[in-house]
Amino acid sequence: MCGIVGYIGYRDAYPIIIKGLHRLEYRGYDSAGVALLNENDKLNIYKKAGKVSNLENFISDQDASGHIGMGHTRWATHGEPNDRNSHPHQSGNEKLAIIHNGIIENYGPIKEELISRGHVFISDTDTEVLIHLIEDIQKEACLDLKEAVRVALNEVIGAYAIVIMSKDNPNQLIAARKGSPMVIGVGEKEFFIASDATPIVEYTKNVIYLNDNEIAYIDENEILIKTIDNVIQTPYVHALELKLEMLEKGGYDHFMLKEIYEQPRSIHDCMRGRIYPLTGKVQLGGIKDYADKFKNADRIIIVACGTSWHAGLVGEYLIEEYARIPVEVEYASEFRYRNPIISEKDIVIAISQSGETADTMAAIELAKEKGATILGICNVVGSSIPRLTHAGVYTHAGPEIGVASTKAFTAQVTALTLMAFYMAQTKGTLSQSKLINLLTELERIPELVEKALLSNDLILEIAKKFKDSRNALFLGRGSGFPVALEGALKLKEISYIHAEGYPAAEMKHGPIALIDEEMPVIVIATKNSSYEKVISNIQEVKARKGVVLAIVTEGDTEVRAMADYTIEIPHTDEAFLPLLATIPLQLLSYHIALLRGCNVDQPRNLAKSVTVE
């Protein structure tokens, strides 16, 4: 979950590295550091707890020269976030430096052995153990650095993306990965290394995605890639589609707000070229070769984490309703530690914005071993999950920098909607006329999202009423239930207000005990098949003096008469209500968090891409 950036070439390394760290800060912001080799081969390491700006201020009057260097922004796993535990870490002889994303699981016994051999450790991290191990192997086995790194990586257990530099090898960077992402940008007599493409796109469009168990040996003129078994690999150079302007705020105060307002475009981009309302056709080229699998599938298992899991719940309603295939939605983090019953007639759909979620990747591997067909829904082209799955659908939402997912959620729901209709089309469970009507309405959704965003000023005023709340309850029925879960997650993620989402009918089985005059209850009360039931649930809340904020269909008068506050969304088919109902909840969380003085783009203790278990 940490951010890694490295550079070797003819330019000054520091400006590239520090800018890259700012772009990667959404991956972790507990501390940051850089290592630079100057022209005298002096290894300068600077690191500070806190944001990248703290590091930048610290370096302002230091020697930051050199054409080779690396930087790191940390989300803490081993050791509290302070200067001492910040990366880069050095070997005992101070000739080697390392930055690391991931967890070395067997660092404890390795550390004990190294201590018995005279090594002294400064930090509490697993990363420092790895660089000491490399130093020890290099010394005791009389190996060069390349071979020492390879041997060391064969001894460690866990996940890693690492970059290593050496005073004795001043024209070389060594990078390796297993279970954590790493991309290498290829320029003219220069190379860039990063956790993802965001620091690279400004300088080159040509990138190599390092695969698991691969080591890259890089100097300013060439790159050599080998496996940890010492087999030379032929790298494939991809062309980036990412544009630099996608990484800027574009006049918005925060990335989160920008990404909320990008949803009309991101939903449209997810549908573009995939739906044909006039003929009632859905085309998903990424999974067309697996169409027969849908006809014969015993069930579909959706695996995901966090917001992606909520999107999966929406997908469950849609797939079962239209394709008539049983669906189970599993937390990837739990699925992987069970012994699930999976057959060759099962389809597993893995959902991940980043394509690097460690638990989801482990769930994929488990399902593949049992013979299931694995499909992916992912946003980041070239990431690990698209390469692990048999086939899949990209969401094309564009980079999402805000840690709390917004446009990623609606893009995932859009992709699942398309998949549900595609399955129904393949199986013949949906009439042509019904599919034409659904696709015609789906094509209107970006326009309706634009309309839903017009409630921003009203939502700000409502947020002022709720900003001092200590708890909140979100209720919904049917596909409104996962929307309630997602609304609660957004509020707790960025405002630190305790919030829970429940099926509205379950309120009377426990949560109703919490309701009083100070408890805001946010209800998804749109016109759908559960409308009358939700009205009854609202009455139950009001009878106990609860404060009700209802998300209603425009023109609603019945709920408006009983709720304390209402926010209208445009009328649409019930299938697409999650795409509209989530918009006001995102804005509500955003404004409440701002009014409470919270950092909406970088909430405490969180990171964007969860690449550790």
Side-chain angles (χ1 to χ4, degrees):
M1 293 157 68
C2 307
I4 282 174
V5 60
Y7 176 79
I8 181 170
Y10 60 88
R11 310 182 202 226
D12 288 335
Y14 174 70
I16 295 168
I17 292 168
I18 202 70
K19 185 183 289 186
L21 291 181
H22 279 295
R23 291 212 177 122
L24 289 173
E25 197 165 22
Y26 69 94
R27 300 181 70 94
Y29 30 88
D30 291 339
S31 60
V34 299
L36 301 159
L37 265 173
N38 67 16
E39 292 183 356
N40 298 317
D41 295 337
K42 182 184 180 194
L43 182 58
N44 291 313
I45 293 180
Y46 310 110
K47 46 190 188 177
K48 294 296 287 183
K51 301 293 183 65
V52 173
S53 57
N54 291 359
L55 173 68
E56 195 171 14
N57 292 334
F58 177 68
I59 296 177
S60 61
D61 58 353
Q62 306 285 340
D63 176 15
S65 63
H67 299 288
I68 176 172
M70 60 189 188
H72 186 271
T73 181
R74 182 176 185 240
W75 185 85
T77 54
H78 293 73
E80 65 180 77
N82 54 30
D83 292 356
R84 181 168 54 87
N85 289 326
S86 304
H87 297 214
H89 290 288
Q90 287 184 275
S91 56
N93 61 15
E94 298 186 347
K95 289 185 176 183
L96 306 177
I98 187 173
I99 53 178
H100 170 218
N101 177 19
I103 294 176
I104 305 301
E105 296 175 6
N106 61 335
Y107 84 100
I110 294 174
K111 186 174 184 177
E112 289 179 9
E113 173 64 21
L114 290 171
I115 289 173
S116 72
R117 297 160 67 88
H119 287 258
V120 177
F121 293 90
I122 297 171
S123 76
D124 305 313
T125 68
D126 54 333
T127 306
E128 189 185 10
V129 174
L130 178 54
I131 197 65
H132 276 256
L133 175 62
I134 293 168
E135 175 196 6
D136 192 77
I137 291 171
Q138 190 177 15
K139 177 184 176 182
E140 296 300 320
C142 297
L143 299 176
D144 64 15
L145 180 59
K146 290 180 182 179
E147 187 63 9
V149 170
R150 190 185 70 81
V151 172
L153 293 180
N154 275 287
E155 292 191 16
V156 299
I157 299 170
Y160 55 78
I162 60 170
V163 182
I164 294 167
M165 53 194 298
S166 166
K167 290 174 65 175
D168 292 341
N169 302 80
N171 298 309
Q172 183 181 74
L173 290 175
I174 298 177
R177 73 155 282 180
K178 180 184 178 182
S180 289
M182 181 162 288
V183 59
I184 299 170
V186 181
E188 192 70 35
K189 293 188 176 182
E190 61 180 349
F191 290 91
F192 308 82
I193 302 171
S195 298
D196 61 46
T198 54
I200 290 173
V201 66
E202 184 173 348
Y203 308 101
T204 180
K205 293 290 186 181
N206 299 317
V207 299
I208 297 167
Y209 294 102
L210 210 59
N211 293 313
D212 272 357
N213 298 311
E214 287 184 345
I215 309 171
Y217 308 103
I218 307 166
D219 64 36
E220 61 186 19
N221 295 310
E222 63 179 358
I223 178 171
L224 172 66
I225 298 177
K226 290 185 177 183
T227 68
I228 61 172
D229 296 323
N230 213 28
V231 178
I232 294 176
Q233 303 295 291
T234 302
Y236 178 75
V237 179
H238 300 255
L240 285 177
E241 297 179 3
L242 187 65
K243 296 179 181 178
L244 185 59
E245 56 266 26
M246 295 179 178
L247 307 177
E248 307 298 336
K249 291 179 184 176
Y252 289 91
D253 290 337
H254 301 92
F255 281 110
M256 182 180 180
L257 186 62
K258 177 192 178 216
E259 288 153 9
I260 290 172
Y261 274 85
E262 284 178 339
Q263 287 173 110
R265 180 197 58 76
S266 58
I267 293 171
H268 174 267
D269 287 350
C270 187
M271 296 188 295
R272 186 174 58 198
R274 291 170 168 171
I275 65 169
Y276 298 88
L278 293 178
T279 57
K281 290 287 185 183
V282 180
Q283 292 187 357
L284 294 175
I287 61 174
K288 67 179 181 179
D289 292 340
Y290 293 84
D292 287 343
K293 293 284 187 178
F294 301 130
K295 294 179 182 179
N296 302 310
D298 285 342
R299 62 175 173 166
I300 290 172
I301 303 169
I302 298 175
V303 293
C305 299
T307 286
S308 298
W309 186 79
H310 297 156
L313 289 177
V314 177
E316 178 182 18
Y317 286 97
L318 293 167
I319 294 169
E320 290 193 343
E321 173 70 23
Y322 296 110
R324 308 307 297 158
I325 304 173
V327 179
E328 298 175 14
V329 185
E330 300 268 6
Y331 282 113
S333 55
E334 289 297 314
F335 180 81
R336 61 175 298 194
Y337 288 113
R338 298 204 329 261
N339 185 19
I341 301 171
I342 302 172
S343 77
E344 294 179 359
K345 294 185 71 175
D346 289 332
I347 296 172
V348 173
I349 299 176
I351 310 174
S352 169
Q353 188 282 137
S354 67
E356 303 290 351
T357 309
D359 288 319
T360 306
M361 289 195 292
I364 289 171
E365 296 285 11
L366 174 61
K368 283 178 79 173
E369 289 173 6
K370 294 178 179 289
T373 298
I374 317 296
L375 305 179
I377 294 177
C378 184
N379 187 33
V380 181
V381 176
S383 55
S384 296
I385 285 178
R387 288 183 281 160
L388 286 171
T389 53
H390 294 113
V393 175
Y394 281 116
T395 57
H396 299 303
E400 188 178 65
I401 306 301
V403 167
S405 283
T406 51
K407 67 176 181 176
F409 174 73
T410 51
Q412 289 168 350
V413 170
T414 303
L416 285 160
T417 304
L418 297 176
M419 290 181 77
F421 292 164
Y422 183 78
M423 294 177 199
Q425 172 183 282
T426 301
K427 292 188 66 186
T429 54
L430 196 56
S431 70
Q432 188 78 357
S433 60
K434 177 64 173 176
L435 188 53
I436 287 172
N437 290 336
L438 286 168
L439 295 180
T440 300
E441 183 65 10
L442 179 58
E443 193 174 42
R444 293 182 60 233
I445 291 299
E447 171 191 340
L448 299 184
V449 172
E450 289 268 18
K451 192 172 181 181
L453 289 166
L454 296 177
S455 296
N456 181 63
D457 291 346
L458 169 64
I459 294 169
L460 172 58
E461 293 307 310
I462 295 172
K464 293 176 182 176
K465 308 292 185 183
F466 291 169
K467 70 179 180 65
D468 295 320
S469 300
R470 299 181 62 187
N471 302 282
L473 192 61
F474 288 71
L475 303 176
R477 281 179 179 261
S479 60
F481 164 51
V483 174
L485 288 172
E486 176 62 11
L489 178 61
K490 285 293 148 291
L491 187 65
K492 72 178 95 176
E493 276 182 318
I494 63 170
S495 75
Y496 317 137
I497 293 173
H498 175 252
E500 297 296 335
Y502 275 90
E506 285 295 303
M507 177 185 61
K508 57 184 173 289
H509 295 287
I512 199 168
L514 299 172
I515 293 173
D516 58 22
E517 298 95 327
E518 297 181 357
M519 167 72 85
V521 181
I522 297 91
V523 186
I524 315 302
T526 51
K527 289 283 181 69
N528 58 26
S529 57
S530 303
Y531 180 70
E532 298 299 331
K533 298 293 185 182
V534 171
I535 286 177
S536 297
N537 298 135
I538 292 173
Q539 289 171 333
E540 291 167 353
V541 174
K542 293 305 297 178
R544 288 151 181 86
K545 299 182 180 180
V547 180
V548 173
L549 165 61
I551 309 301
V552 301
T553 305
E554 60 184 346
D556 184 289
T557 56
E558 193 169 356
V559 173
R560 183 180 290 275
M562 64 182 72
D564 298 274
Y565 308 96
T566 57
I567 302 170
E568 290 189 348
I569 60 172
H571 181 273
T572 190
D573 188 282
E574 186 169 348
F576 312 123
L577 280 172
L579 291 170
L580 297 183
T582 194
I583 303 299
L585 301 184
Q586 293 172 351
L587 288 169
L588 180 69
S589 298
Y590 171 81
H591 287 301
I592 288 176
L594 278 188
L595 291 166
R596 290 168 64 89
C598 301
N599 185 334
V600 296
D601 283 340
Q602 296 174 350
R604 69 188 182 202
N605 301 333
L606 297 178
K608 184 67 179 175
S609 179
V610 185
T611 58
V612 297
E613 297 178 25

